[in-house]
Amino acid sequence: SQLAEENSWALSVHEGESVTVNCSYKTSITALQWYRQKSGKGPAQLILIRSNEREKRNGRLRATLDTSSQSSSLSITATRCEDTAVYFCATDAGSSGNKLIFGIGTLLSVKP
Amino acid sequence: AQTIHQWPVAEIKAVGSPLSLGCTIKGKSSPNLYWYWQATGGTLQQLFYSITVGQVESVVQLNLSASRPKDDQFILSTEKLLLSHSGFYLCAWSLEGGNTGQLYFGEGSKLTVL
Protein backbone atom coordinates (compact mmCIF):
# COMPACT_ATOMS: atom_id res chain seq x y z
CA SER A 1 0.00 0.00 0.00
CA GLN A 2 1.11 3.54 -0.63
CA LEU A 3 2.41 5.58 2.22
CA ALA A 4 1.52 8.83 0.54
CA GLU A 5 -1.24 9.55 -1.87
CA GLU A 6 -2.93 12.51 -3.42
CA ASN A 7 -6.67 12.53 -3.18
CA SER A 8 -7.56 13.41 -6.74
CA TRP A 9 -6.33 11.97 -10.02
CA ALA A 10 -6.90 15.15 -11.96
CA LEU A 11 -8.01 18.72 -11.51
CA SER A 12 -8.82 21.38 -14.06
CA VAL A 13 -9.03 25.14 -13.52
CA HIS A 14 -8.93 28.30 -15.58
CA GLU A 15 -6.04 30.72 -15.44
CA GLY A 16 -6.24 33.05 -12.50
CA GLU A 17 -8.25 30.67 -10.34
CA SER A 18 -6.95 29.04 -7.18
CA VAL A 19 -6.64 25.30 -6.71
CA THR A 20 -5.79 22.92 -3.89
CA VAL A 21 -4.23 19.48 -4.15
CA ASN A 22 -4.64 17.24 -1.14
CA CYS A 23 -2.46 14.43 0.13
CA SER A 24 -2.89 11.87 2.88
CA TYR A 25 -0.29 9.58 4.38
CA LYS A 26 -0.36 6.58 6.67
CA THR A 27 2.74 6.64 8.86
CA SER A 28 4.47 9.15 11.09
CA ILE A 29 6.80 11.33 9.06
CA THR A 30 9.81 13.55 9.46
CA ALA A 31 8.83 15.80 6.58
CA LEU A 32 6.54 15.97 3.59
CA GLN A 33 7.59 17.30 0.24
CA TRP A 34 5.64 18.58 -2.74
CA TYR A 35 7.04 18.13 -6.24
CA ARG A 36 5.88 19.24 -9.65
CA GLN A 37 6.63 17.29 -12.81
CA LYS A 38 6.04 18.72 -16.23
CA SER A 39 5.53 16.39 -19.15
CA GLY A 40 8.72 14.54 -20.11
CA LYS A 41 10.82 16.23 -17.43
CA GLY A 42 12.20 15.31 -14.04
CA PRO A 43 10.28 16.47 -10.95
CA ALA A 44 11.19 19.70 -9.20
CA GLN A 45 10.70 20.26 -5.49
CA LEU A 46 8.24 22.99 -4.62
CA ILE A 47 8.01 22.92 -0.84
CA LEU A 48 9.38 20.82 2.00
CA ILE A 49 7.38 21.05 5.21
CA ARG A 50 8.68 19.42 8.36
CA SER A 51 6.52 17.59 10.88
CA ASN A 52 6.78 20.44 13.39
CA GLU A 53 5.58 23.00 10.84
CA ARG A 54 1.96 23.71 10.03
CA GLU A 55 2.31 25.94 6.98
CA LYS A 56 4.95 26.90 4.45
CA ARG A 57 4.85 29.31 1.54
CA ASN A 58 6.78 29.68 -1.66
CA GLY A 59 5.51 32.54 -3.80
CA ARG A 60 2.04 31.59 -5.06
CA LEU A 61 2.29 28.21 -3.35
CA ARG A 62 1.16 27.38 0.15
CA ALA A 63 1.52 24.01 1.80
CA THR A 64 -0.13 22.95 5.02
CA LEU A 65 0.51 19.93 7.18
CA ASP A 66 -1.84 18.39 9.71
CA THR A 67 -0.07 15.57 11.51
CA SER A 68 -3.16 14.69 13.56
CA SER A 69 -5.15 13.83 10.42
CA GLN A 70 -2.02 12.79 8.50
CA SER A 71 -2.80 15.07 5.63
CA SER A 72 -1.28 17.90 3.67
CA SER A 73 -2.49 20.35 1.07
CA LEU A 74 -0.81 22.38 -1.61
CA SER A 75 -2.63 25.50 -2.72
CA ILE A 76 -1.76 27.49 -5.80
CA THR A 77 -3.19 30.97 -6.22
CA ALA A 78 -3.48 32.96 -9.43
CA THR A 79 -2.80 29.87 -11.53
CA ARG A 80 -1.03 30.17 -14.87
CA CYS A 81 -0.99 27.86 -17.88
CA GLU A 82 2.59 26.95 -17.01
CA ASP A 83 1.38 25.48 -13.71
CA THR A 84 -0.01 22.59 -15.78
CA ALA A 85 1.83 19.54 -14.47
CA VAL A 86 1.55 16.50 -12.25
CA TYR A 87 1.87 17.31 -8.57
CA PHE A 88 3.24 14.71 -6.17
CA CYS A 89 3.48 14.61 -2.43
CA ALA A 90 6.30 12.54 -1.01
CA THR A 91 7.13 11.37 2.48
CA ASP A 92 9.86 9.42 4.18
CA ALA A 93 9.30 5.78 5.05
CA GLY A 94 10.01 6.44 8.71
CA SER A 95 12.97 4.13 9.00
CA SER A 96 15.63 5.65 6.79
CA GLY A 97 16.69 9.13 5.88
CA ASN A 98 17.25 8.15 2.30
CA LYS A 99 13.95 6.58 1.35
CA LEU A 100 11.32 8.85 -0.12
CA ILE A 101 7.93 7.54 -1.18
CA PHE A 102 5.90 9.43 -3.75
CA GLY A 103 2.14 9.52 -4.04
CA ILE A 104 0.33 8.65 -7.25
CA GLY A 105 0.23 12.26 -8.41
CA THR A 106 -2.48 14.71 -9.34
CA LEU A 107 -2.62 16.04 -12.88
CA LEU A 108 -3.45 19.73 -12.82
CA SER A 109 -4.57 21.33 -16.05
CA VAL A 110 -4.73 25.09 -16.19
CA LYS A 111 -6.73 26.36 -19.16
CA PRO A 112 -6.53 29.82 -20.69
CA ALA B 1 26.41 25.68 -10.49
CA GLN B 2 25.46 22.08 -10.00
CA THR B 3 24.44 20.08 -13.02
CA ILE B 4 23.07 16.59 -13.38
CA HIS B 5 23.33 14.79 -16.67
CA GLN B 6 21.66 11.52 -17.56
CA TRP B 7 22.45 9.34 -20.54
CA PRO B 8 21.12 8.15 -22.85
CA VAL B 9 18.07 10.37 -23.23
CA ALA B 10 16.10 7.50 -24.76
CA GLU B 11 16.68 3.88 -25.69
CA ILE B 12 14.72 1.19 -27.47
CA LYS B 13 15.95 -2.25 -26.50
CA ALA B 14 14.94 -5.85 -27.05
CA VAL B 15 13.79 -8.16 -24.28
CA GLY B 16 16.77 -10.09 -22.96
CA SER B 17 19.34 -7.50 -24.00
CA PRO B 18 21.61 -5.71 -21.51
CA LEU B 19 21.14 -2.15 -20.33
CA SER B 20 23.29 0.54 -18.82
CA LEU B 21 22.00 3.97 -17.82
CA GLY B 22 24.25 6.61 -16.41
CA CYS B 23 24.11 9.76 -14.36
CA THR B 24 26.80 12.34 -13.62
CA ILE B 25 26.64 15.18 -11.11
CA LYS B 26 28.99 18.11 -11.46
CA GLY B 27 29.58 20.89 -9.00
CA LYS B 28 28.89 19.01 -5.77
CA SER B 29 31.20 16.72 -3.88
CA SER B 30 29.94 13.61 -2.09
CA PRO B 31 26.25 13.97 -2.91
CA ASN B 32 23.67 11.34 -1.99
CA LEU B 33 22.55 9.73 -5.23
CA TYR B 34 19.26 8.04 -6.13
CA TRP B 35 17.65 6.07 -8.94
CA TYR B 36 13.90 6.24 -9.47
CA TRP B 37 11.69 4.44 -11.99
CA GLN B 38 8.42 5.79 -13.32
CA ALA B 39 5.95 3.83 -15.44
CA THR B 40 4.14 5.90 -18.05
CA GLY B 41 1.54 7.96 -16.21
CA GLY B 42 2.62 6.48 -12.90
CA THR B 43 4.31 7.50 -9.70
CA LEU B 44 8.02 7.49 -8.92
CA GLN B 45 9.38 4.37 -7.31
CA GLN B 46 12.75 4.57 -5.60
CA LEU B 47 15.11 1.82 -6.73
CA PHE B 48 18.50 2.51 -5.18
CA TYR B 49 20.41 5.10 -3.22
CA SER B 50 24.06 5.69 -2.46
CA ILE B 51 25.67 7.94 0.12
CA THR B 52 29.26 7.22 -0.81
CA VAL B 53 31.46 5.76 -3.53
CA GLY B 54 31.23 2.01 -3.79
CA GLN B 55 28.20 1.69 -1.53
CA VAL B 56 24.70 1.22 -2.94
CA GLU B 57 21.54 0.33 -1.04
CA SER B 58 18.67 -1.38 -2.78
CA VAL B 59 15.12 -0.25 -2.10
CA VAL B 60 13.31 -2.17 -4.82
CA GLN B 61 15.45 -4.23 -7.16
CA LEU B 62 13.17 -5.03 -10.12
CA ASN B 63 15.98 -7.26 -11.49
CA LEU B 64 18.25 -4.22 -11.81
CA SER B 65 21.53 -3.35 -10.17
CA ALA B 66 23.29 -0.09 -9.46
CA SER B 67 26.85 0.95 -8.87
CA ARG B 68 28.69 4.10 -7.90
CA PRO B 69 32.18 3.81 -9.39
CA LYS B 70 33.04 7.48 -8.82
CA ASP B 71 31.87 10.17 -6.42
CA ASP B 72 29.98 11.92 -9.20
CA GLN B 73 28.68 8.93 -11.15
CA PHE B 74 25.79 6.52 -10.66
CA ILE B 75 25.11 3.62 -13.01
CA LEU B 76 21.95 1.52 -13.37
CA SER B 77 22.20 -1.73 -15.26
CA THR B 78 20.86 -5.17 -15.98
CA GLU B 79 22.09 -8.08 -18.05
CA LYS B 80 18.63 -9.08 -19.28
CA LEU B 81 15.83 -6.64 -19.88
CA LEU B 82 12.21 -7.51 -19.25
CA LEU B 83 9.16 -5.88 -20.81
CA SER B 84 8.32 -4.55 -17.36
CA HIS B 85 11.52 -2.48 -17.37
CA SER B 86 10.00 -0.02 -19.80
CA GLY B 87 9.50 3.43 -18.35
CA PHE B 88 11.25 6.59 -17.33
CA TYR B 89 14.40 6.36 -15.22
CA LEU B 90 15.33 9.33 -13.11
CA CYS B 91 18.56 10.01 -11.29
CA ALA B 92 18.58 12.48 -8.42
CA TRP B 93 21.00 13.93 -5.90
CA SER B 94 20.75 15.59 -2.52
CA LEU B 95 23.11 16.85 0.13
CA GLU B 96 20.94 15.78 3.05
CA GLY B 97 18.99 12.59 3.44
CA GLY B 98 16.32 12.34 0.79
CA ASN B 99 13.46 12.61 3.23
CA THR B 100 14.47 15.97 4.69
CA GLY B 101 16.51 17.52 1.95
CA GLN B 102 15.76 18.68 -1.52
CA LEU B 103 16.10 16.12 -4.28
CA TYR B 104 17.40 17.47 -7.57
CA PHE B 105 16.31 15.31 -10.47
CA GLY B 106 17.88 14.88 -13.85
CA GLU B 107 15.89 15.03 -17.07
CA GLY B 108 15.49 11.27 -17.18
CA SER B 109 16.13 8.41 -19.58
CA LYS B 110 13.15 6.95 -21.41
CA LEU B 111 13.42 3.20 -21.94
CA THR B 112 11.22 1.19 -24.25
CA VAL B 113 11.62 -2.58 -24.15
CA LEU B 114 10.15 -4.51 -27.07
Side-chain angles (χ1 to χ4, degrees), chain B residues 9-79:
Chain B
V9 173
E11 281 243 71
I12 299 175
K13 304 278 279 187
V15 170
S17 63
L19 172 77
S20 182
L21 301 177
C23 172
T24 298
I25 293 85
K26 295 299 183 186
K28 278 296 176 189
S29 62
S30 304
N32 297 336
L33 298 177
Y34 309 83
W35 276 113
Y36 281 81
W37 172 77
Q38 185 176 32
T40 301
T43 188
L44 291 90
Q45 185 169 24
Q46 188 174 355
L47 301 176
F48 299 93
Y49 68 89
S50 170
I51 60 174
T52 191
V53 174
Q55 290 187 13
V56 177
E57 298 294 328
S58 171
V59 178
V60 175
Q61 280 195 321
L62 299 182
N63 293 305
L64 297 166
S65 60
S67 64
R68 185 171 179 176
K70 302 178 185 178
D71 184 55
D72 63 354
Q73 195 174 78
F74 209 16
I75 306 295
L76 185 70
S77 61
T78 183
E79 293 185 0

Side-chain angles (χ1 to χ4, degrees), chain A residues 9 37 86 88 103-107, chain B residues 38-44 87-88:
Chain A
W9 289 94
Q37 185 179 27
V86 178
F88 293 97
I104 59 174
T106 295
L107 174 60
Chain B
Q38 185 176 32
T40 301
T43 188
L44 291 90
F88 198 40

Side-chain angles (χ1 to χ4, degrees), chain A residues 4-60:
Chain A
E5 56 186 47
E6 297 79 10
N7 296 349
S8 298
W9 289 94
L11 296 169
S12 181
V13 298
H14 287 98
E15 258 194 321
E17 294 178 341
S18 297
V19 66
T20 298
V21 181
N22 295 303
C23 167
S24 57
Y25 57 91
K26 296 174 182 168
T27 64
S28 61
I29 60 172
T30 305
L32 184 143
Q33 303 182 39
W34 283 97
Y35 284 82
R36 173 172 62 195
Q37 185 179 27
K38 297 194 174 183
S39 181
K41 303 293 185 182
Q45 192 196 64
L46 300 173
I47 293 180
L48 182 151
I49 184 165
R50 298 182 187 272
S51 59
N52 62 351
E53 298 175 310
R54 291 297 166 259
E55 178 181 305
K56 202 120 178 232
R57 293 177 184 267
N58 178 9
R60 295 182 295 113

Side-chain angles (χ1 to χ4, degrees), chain B residues 1-15:
Chain B
Q2 308 82 29
T3 60
I4 178 168
H5 173 61
Q6 286 191 241
W7 75 91
V9 173
E11 281 243 71
I12 299 175
K13 304 278 279 187
V15 170

